[in-house]
Amino acid sequence: NAGVIQTPRHKVTGKGQEATLWCEPISGHSAVFWYRQTIVQGLEFLTYFRNQAPIDDSGMPKERFSAQMPNQSHSTLKIQSTQPQDSAVYLCASSPGQTNSDYTFGSGTRLLVI
Amino acid sequence: GDSVTQTEGLVTLTKGLPVMLNCTYQTTYSPFLFWYVQHLNEAPKLLLKSSTDNKRTEHQGFYATLHKSSSSFHLQKSSVQLSDSALYFCALSDRGSALGRLHFGAGTQLIVIP
């Protein structure tokens, strides 16, 4: 079991460029969550999918951020026109899909916008 | 709305001493609480979970008891080790035991010194 795989581990992007972050959930897990971690805000919920369908995107900034789950083996988080305040560690977690107690986090993608 | 409060941002202790990290919460649902531990540059990992009032739950030497009367779920250990140095997050499910987002506290950095 390789766990939740996130790529890239580190990404540096220039202000105004696009960034796409990838998450591969644990095989057989039907729910995928995205969180953002910063020193100031801590861990903030962004969005989640269940059986590839978007369930709750209440934490997603309405502009520039989008997430997709085109198949059960990966999800993407896309940030358009990146800004310095988007710099954070973006964490993906997966769950078998029945209860909250089964979250497994990936190691995250550290995004730096310069 | 749902929220979690961790009052200590940083706790520094000498090896072998006991520790208690505070966690209080607010929710309109039946509470389901978690403690996650995150070592440097690693993924957050589930340490403890509970939804049962006044029942102690233990794992890896750490323990916590959910007290609904005081809305608390403090994390304790009787004798900290150097390897316990990490960031500790308390989290609350916003849907009880059902699948959904987690609300995280700001986190407590525990540093254990020789």
Side-chain angles (χ1 to χ4, degrees):
Chain A
N1 184 352
V4 176
I5 299 172
Q6 290 191 249
T7 54
R9 288 296 309 272
H10 302 272
K11 185 172 182 66
V12 180
T13 184
K15 179 180 172 182
Q17 293 184 328
E18 181 178 287
T20 300
L21 313 180
W22 292 70
C23 172
E24 180 180 331
I26 292 173
S27 178
H29 282 196
S30 62
V32 169
F33 294 78
W34 286 96
Y35 286 81
R36 176 167 63 181
Q37 184 175 18
T38 61
I39 298 294
V40 174
Q41 299 292 336
L43 274 160
E44 299 175 279
F45 168 78
L46 293 175
T47 186
Y48 90 93
F49 299 84
R50 187 171 182 177
N51 295 321
Q52 299 171 233
I55 303 299
D56 181 356
D57 67 353
S58 59
M60 290 278 274
K62 295 309 176 191
E63 297 180 357
R64 304 188 295 105
F65 282 66
S66 62
Q68 293 184 322
M69 191 161 185
N71 56 60
Q72 63 186 8
S73 65
H74 88 273
S75 174
T76 58
L77 179 68
K78 183 180 293 186
I79 309 172
Q80 295 177 311
S81 185
T82 54
Q83 303 297 310
Q85 61 265 29
D86 299 331
S87 297
V89 177
Y90 289 83
L91 290 164
C92 176
S94 72
S95 165
Q98 297 304 314
T99 69
N100 267 313
S101 60
D102 301 314
Y103 262 50
T104 300
F105 279 94
S107 296
T109 294
R110 186 176 296 274
L111 176 67
L112 177 62
V113 182
I114 57 175
Chain B
D2 296 341
S3 66
V4 175
T5 301
Q6 293 180 249
T7 52
E8 310 98 355
L10 173 65
V11 173
T12 304
L13 281 175
T14 301
K15 173 185 170 183
L17 290 180
V19 65
M20 185 170 84
L21 306 183
N22 290 313
C23 172
T24 56
Y25 64 89
Q26 284 187 307
T27 183
T28 54
Y29 285 87
S30 182
F32 202 133
L33 275 293
F34 305 82
W35 276 100
Y36 280 83
V37 56
Q38 185 179 29
H39 288 91
L40 191 62
N41 295 325
E42 293 185 9
K45 291 183 174 64
L46 179 65
L47 184 58
L48 293 172
K49 61 188 180 189
S50 181
S51 60
T52 306
D53 199 12
N54 297 319
K55 181 180 178 182
R56 174 164 153 161
T57 183
E58 300 188 37
H59 185 60
Q60 296 181 340
F62 287 91
Y63 59 95
T65 303
L66 177 61
H67 291 297
K68 294 183 182 180
S69 60
S70 57
S71 299
S72 67
F73 189 58
H74 305 320
L75 181 68
Q76 299 183 73
K77 190 174 187 185
S78 58
S79 174
V80 294
Q81 304 303 308
L82 296 176
S83 58
D84 295 328
S85 294
L87 188 55
Y88 292 81
F89 291 100
C90 185
L92 167 73
S93 167
D94 75 348
R95 289 178 182 270
S97 61
L99 187 70
R101 62 181 289 183
L102 294 183
H103 298 268
F104 285 87
T108 298
Q109 182 71 51
L110 174 64
I111 297 176
V112 181
I113 57 177

